[in-house]
Amino acid sequence: MIAMKATILPDAAIEGREDFIRTKGKQKSRLKCDADSIAGCVSQRACVYCGARVVLNPVTDAIHLVHGPIGCASYTWDIRGSLSSGSELYRFSFSTDLKEEDVIFGGEKKLARAIDELVLKYNPKLVFVYATCIVGVIGDDLEAVCKAAVRKHGIEVIPVQSSGFAGNKAAGYRAACDALLRLIGPVNRKETKKSKCINFLGDFNLAGEVWIISNYLRQMGIDVNVAFTGDSSCETLKTAARASLNIVQCAGSMIYLAEKMEEIYNIPYINVSFLGLEDAAESLRKIAGFFGDLKIIRKTELLIEKELIAFGGEVQSYREKLQGKKAAIYVGGGFKAISLVKQFREIGIDVVMIGTQTGRQEEYETINELVDEGTVILDDANPAELEKFMVEKGAHLLVGGVKERPLAYKLGIAFIDHNHDRKHPLSGFVGAVNFAREVYSTVCSPVWKYTTETWDLGR
Amino acid sequence: MDKETENCRNVNENPCNMCMPMGAILPFKGLERSMVIIHGSQGCSTYMRRHIAEHFNEPIDVASSSLNEKGIIYGGEANLKKGLDNLIKLYNPGLIGVLTTCLSETIGEDVERVTLEYLNERGQLGDLALVTVSTPGYGGTHTDGYSRAVQRIIARLAKNTKKHSRINVIVPNLSPADIREIKRIMHLFKIEFTLCPDFSDTLDRPFERPYKKIPEGGTRLTDIAKMSGASATIQMGITVDDSISPGRYLASEFGVPLYNLPVPMGLENTDLFINVLKKLTGDTVPESLEQERGRLLDCMIDSHKYNFQGRSVIFGEPENVYAIVKTCLENGIYPVVVATGSKSGKMTSLLKNELNDYRGEIQFLDEADFSQIREESIRMDANIAIGHSDGRFLTEREGIPLVRHGFPIHDRVGGQRLLSVGYVGTTMFLDRITNTLLENKYKSYRKSMYQKFYKSAENSGSVAAGLR
Ligand code: SF4
């Protein structure tokens, strides 16, 4: 017989890690977050460059040129599910492929030649030049090279200061927002203020999610000016200051940009989330409420009613099958984690463990308010901790990214892909059904019957 | 497109290779109770873990010294030592590979010194072995990183021992299924051997409970210690540079005779391998292997006419590319573009020697990226691609079907289970190729014949258009 003992849990407590882990209701002190990863802990976090690339990559007609050694470009080539209605240039990976001699003598000349070559070959309007860790050390002046290229080619060439060691993914989001700010041009605000035209920040058009939300808004009588950055282009991004409102979904990556745009262009912003039936409906109402136009409000109610009729029933039917299951969440940012707690509730599932790579203090506070007593909350977790708490808490499923998936499966736990390479939308009313269906497909799969059964080996 | 711009190499457009530390992780995953720490910024290790995990569908735990600004300015020594402390606490490994990155190399970290110091300072760490490998990402491809790591592992662990009758087998980046097949063949010959690195179990582990943080399996460290006394080394690495060749090292340092062979893929290459085993054991070929060879021949005959229609573009790591090219040549699936992201003068010259009396044109691309591979594939009218998943644009943009082979395969499942070596593996590989050619043919031949030959009296244009 195969022994079915629970996993033997070694004492995984690493000095310094205890401050990053809290059990709701047990400790009074605040959870520590937004700090450097502890060496040797096998953190699941990525680097600054990764953060910047995630945010900017969906800009469809840009050349995304990675100034650095080949690996960094290789691992980020076309691994995201952002869709485009126009150019496909963003799906290519360009690298200056720095070699030993470049590291010794500097890579500025090579970078300048690389830009020349690419401009000649692709005739782009916009080039993003990403700094990788090594560029920060050898001291190439990206700003100067880009400036010279602007003069030479008369196009936008924007450096992204994403040197990999200076912070984590969150610092990369900021670097990306800074790059985007440089692109936005001034407009006559007086004319645009009264328009029903908004920017959608923090959606990357994974599996067409920007399109789904834009369709809703259009039915309400509101136009999306440009999304940051799903299915955006150089031209559309430039006009961002035209909008009368910014709606911010992925706050972790975009709140900084929203604040800056408010400061510079006087564009107010509100936080939204289109994950789950409840959040989607509430966010649409919030947007309609902002404009305060009765016609819009009426149309919004009609839309919500129609969508709930179309999709609410199916979500409900999954709820009946999933009621009482327990979920563990480990995702990149706080916004997603918060939305997921609510979304799980919609389908009758309790969250027993929740963590993020780069969540912010205020997001962890919201999480703490939302979850039940006894739920484990943790920041910058490692596989050992994920394993320990999932087993201890008896989670039936984990939501996470590519690296977490095999761990869940090896533990015999169901898994939901909630990352940037997924190929199906989870946003909006239609996304809520997809989510419920995906949860059902993994939690209720027949395969688990065989992993929990013991096999008589006749020994 | 401007001809001039294509050939200067200031831009790599859609890379066909990865960086050195990435390749160096794999051999460490094929050792018993082994872990890896990457001395660099957090991102490097996370990217590599993600890449490897997607291919094998296995948890890939790799630590990082998480260098930050402070480490860059004052040196990363403290980070590395703390990282080792924590890694030992979490995983209790028997061996740790310490790999450098672009960052740690550029700021001049001396990991060899730091690790020696670490062992001295910490005193009682039992038999824990630390193996450092210098792998600056800018210094070479993942293929170089792999060989370097294997060589360093052996150099660090192999001791002067008594001569014995075991045989060393050193394998390149093959699939776990391939490694298992090589082991099966060795067992058929009843040979005692040490295969290194052996990630056949660790990177393709069965579902079992309880879960183990470090999977069971991998080459035993005590066996590696004795590789120096083996009666011979069989290394599947004819394209590996002598300076980083583990087999060469064992030969020059300990006098272990080296049989440097290609990957046993294809009839001729597998024969070479079997003949060496025959010679080393003085035995005859086991009957079951003879039958497997016969079945492969039968398969080659069954498919030869279909195969003859193939014009292949082959890309990936040099050792694999060499083996595939040879297999394709045996079967009339003529290669028209042969490319690798590595610098591999050796592979190209070996192949060119083999091809002395071959008439067809072959485009060899060294240090290639996918923009070149794509352009040449179109120019040479290729109709089948063989290589890893990063060649998917050949299908998406040019309609050339891709038979996935090698590493990484991240857009399909089962890369770890692909069997392609030995007579059995070659048979399965060939079926995959032939069936892809057939599928492509069935998909289009009705339409293409119609368009080519059907001419109705009037209106032929619009009928054809209507069918499209
Ligand atoms: S190329 Fe260098 S910096 Fe980039 S991932 Fe590889 S080791 Fe890290």
Side-chain angles (χ1 to χ4, degrees), chain A residues 11-279:
Chain A
D11 184 16
I14 292 288
E15 205 188 319
R17 279 293 307 156
E18 63 277 1
D19 297 340
F20 295 87
I21 307 168
R22 286 285 169 272
T23 305
K24 180 170 177 184
K26 285 226 177 111
Q27 297 104 328
K28 285 266 152 12
S29 61
R30 268 182 163 189
L31 175 105
K32 190 168 166 187
C33 63
D34 205 9
D36 283 338
S37 298
I38 297 176
C41 275
V42 194
S43 161
Q44 310 285 90
R45 275 182 183 168
C47 58
V48 187
Y49 157 69
C50 174
R53 183 74 193 252
V54 170
V55 171
L56 295 178
N57 197 64
V59 182
T60 56
D61 61 352
I63 293 260
H64 296 270
L65 174 59
V66 184
H67 186 39
I70 196 69
C72 311
S74 208
Y75 307 132
T76 45
W77 171 25
D78 195 32
I79 58 170
R80 310 282 170 185
S82 303
L83 302 187
S84 167
S85 59
S87 175
E88 291 273 311
L89 198 50
Y90 71 113
R91 293 186 54 205
F92 279 24
S93 185
F94 302 100
S95 164
T96 48
D97 194 0
L98 292 183
K99 297 281 165 65
E100 192 133 17
E101 40 313 342
D102 305 311
V103 174
I104 298 168
F105 300 112
E108 289 178 15
K109 291 214 180 80
K110 194 174 191 184
L111 173 59
R113 285 197 302 268
I115 297 171
D116 291 349
E117 248 179 63
L118 288 168
V119 170
L120 200 64
K121 187 167 172 184
Y122 290 101
N123 194 21
K125 292 195 189 83
L126 168 63
V127 181
F128 286 119
V129 180
Y130 298 80
T132 54
C133 14
I134 192 169
V135 171
V137 178
I138 61 178
D140 280 359
D141 188 347
L142 248 57
E143 197 71 54
V145 176
C146 291
K147 233 186 222 149
V150 170
R151 254 180 276 130
K152 187 166 176 187
H153 302 292
I155 59 166
E156 304 283 353
V157 184
I158 298 180
V160 185
Q161 301 297 353
S162 50
S163 208
F165 56 82
N168 57 35
K169 218 169 157 180
Y173 298 151
R174 231 182 133 101
C177 288
D178 280 328
L180 288 167
L181 275 169
R182 296 169 69 145
L183 202 58
I184 301 170
V187 291
N188 185 349
R189 291 286 305 159
K190 275 213 192 81
E191 279 173 27
T192 60
K193 234 178 181 155
K194 276 192 250 65
S195 75
K196 305 274 184 300
C197 176
I198 68 177
N199 295 324
F200 185 9
L201 275 58
D203 194 307
F204 306 105
N205 202 29
L206 307 174
E209 289 178 343
V210 165
W211 300 335
I212 292 172
I213 304 306
S214 302
N215 290 340
Y216 295 153
L217 292 168
R218 199 169 306 124
Q219 291 176 57
M220 290 156 51
I222 295 167
D223 282 326
V224 170
N225 181 44
V226 60
F228 283 83
T229 50
D231 196 22
S232 64
S233 67
C234 180
E235 281 315 306
T236 53
L237 287 169
K238 276 185 170 175
T239 67
R242 233 170 44 185
S244 49
L245 173 70
N246 282 336
I247 58 170
V248 187
Q249 179 158 246
C250 176
S253 63
M254 284 288 170
I255 202 79
Y256 171 70
L257 183 68
E259 280 166 359
K260 280 278 172 198
M261 284 172 80
E262 181 163 45
E263 185 185 312
I264 303 169
Y265 303 108
N266 246 320
I267 306 176
Y269 71 86
I270 54 176
N271 286 310
V272 295
S273 160
F274 296 105
L275 297 177
L277 297 175
E278 197 188 305
D279 270 10

Side-chain angles (χ1 to χ4, degrees), chain B residues 77-371:
Chain B
E77 198 175 318
N79 271 58
L80 182 54
K81 287 180 179 169
K82 189 171 168 199
L84 286 167
D85 278 344
N86 286 335
L87 185 58
I88 293 166
K89 214 187 244 175
L90 280 173
Y91 291 87
N92 187 27
L95 177 144
I96 301 176
V98 181
L99 310 179
T100 61
T101 57
C102 297
L103 188 60
S104 52
E105 289 280 343
T106 310
I107 62 173
E109 295 284 289
D110 183 352
V111 285
E112 186 65 24
R113 180 187 61 75
V114 177
T115 49
L116 284 176
E117 222 176 87
Y118 176 82
L119 285 178
N120 275 333
E121 281 167 20
R122 297 297 188 270
Q124 316 119 334
L125 289 172
D127 294 332
L128 177 74
L130 299 181
V131 182
T132 61
V133 193
S134 167
T135 46
Y138 50 71
T141 64
H142 61 298
T143 311
D144 304 324
Y146 184 99
S147 297
R148 269 194 198 206
V150 179
Q151 197 199 47
R152 289 284 298 164
I153 289 164
I154 294 173
R156 172 73 180 71
L157 296 180
K159 309 226 161 61
N160 269 315
T161 54
K162 276 205 299 274
K163 294 272 167 230
H164 54 82
S165 60
R166 287 172 87 96
I167 287 170
N168 302 326
V169 183
I170 295 170
V171 294
N173 186 6
L174 300 174
S175 77
D178 284 341
I179 296 177
R180 276 198 291 275
E181 178 66 4
I182 289 166
K183 282 161 63 172
R184 185 186 69 92
I185 294 172
M186 303 291 290
H187 287 311
L188 283 177
F189 272 94
K190 303 199 171 61
I191 301 174
E192 296 230 35
F193 60 93
T194 301
L195 186 142
C196 178
D198 181 1
F199 44 83
S200 61
D201 291 326
T202 51
L203 292 183
D204 187 13
R205 44 177 145 169
F207 181 83
E208 61 190 355
R209 287 180 198 253
Y211 171 72
K212 297 187 188 74
K213 284 191 179 54
I214 301 184
E216 252 158 60
T219 318
R220 278 199 296 263
L221 305 186
T222 47
D223 287 345
I224 301 178
K226 290 193 209 119
M227 284 176 90
S228 41
S231 58
T233 300
I234 297 175
Q235 174 175 266
M236 295 161 186
I238 51 163
T239 64
V240 178
D241 198 78
D242 281 353
S243 66
I244 51 171
S245 156
R248 275 276 167 253
Y249 173 84
L250 283 166
S252 62
E253 218 45 38
F254 299 102
V256 186
L258 171 66
Y259 295 87
N260 208 15
L261 302 178
V263 171
M265 206 180 146
L267 192 83
E268 282 180 30
N269 285 352
T270 308
D271 281 352
L272 281 176
F273 176 52
I274 301 296
N275 285 337
V276 169
L277 296 183
K278 223 166 69 185
K279 185 176 157 199
L280 289 173
T281 52
D283 262 354
T284 49
V285 175
E287 203 189 305
S288 59
L289 268 178
E290 202 186 314
Q291 289 193 336
E292 288 167 16
R293 189 179 190 277
R295 273 193 206 103
L296 169 58
L297 260 174
D298 202 48
C299 150
M300 290 165 71
I301 297 166
D302 290 347
S303 308
H304 74 280
K305 280 198 290 177
Y306 310 125
N307 288 339
F308 206 78
Q309 322 228 331
R311 294 173 62 78
S312 54
V313 37
I314 297 160
F315 56 85
E317 302 191 53
E319 203 60 41
N320 285 329
V321 170
Y322 178 87
I324 300 170
V325 171
K326 290 275 299 193
T327 310
C328 284
L329 283 167
E330 284 172 0
N331 290 280
I333 311 160
Y334 290 116
V336 290
V337 180
V338 174
T340 167
S342 298
K343 203 185 271 177
S344 184
K346 211 163 170 187
M347 178 197 84
T348 313
S349 62
L350 281 168
L351 278 174
K352 280 186 176 157
N353 278 344
E354 298 266 348
L355 289 164
N356 262 340
D357 32 55
Y358 174 65
R359 287 289 159 82
E361 187 195 344
I362 302 184
Q363 196 60 41
F364 286 97
L365 300 172
D366 222 30
E367 289 191 90
D369 63 18
F370 276 103
S371 84

Side-chain angles (χ1 to χ4, degrees), chain A residues 366-431:
Chain A
T366 312
I367 288 172
N368 194 53
E369 274 160 35
L370 272 175
V371 298
D372 299 330
E373 292 277 300
T375 297
V376 174
I377 307 172
L378 69 180
D379 180 66
D380 191 19
N382 61 27
E385 290 160 1
L386 294 177
E387 178 198 342
K388 178 178 150 80
F389 294 119
M390 282 195 288
V391 174
E392 235 173 64
K393 293 276 160 194
H396 297 103
L397 87 151
L398 171 71
V399 191
V402 176
K403 287 186 306 301
E404 290 85 31
R405 187 199 301 140
L407 175 64
Y409 287 171
K410 291 288 171 193
L411 292 170
I413 292 174
F415 185 79
I416 301 284
D417 283 277
H418 209 310
N419 50 37
H420 281 213
D421 32 295
R422 63 193 152 79
K423 320 253 172 323
H424 55 284
L426 295 178
S427 214
F429 301 95
V430 60

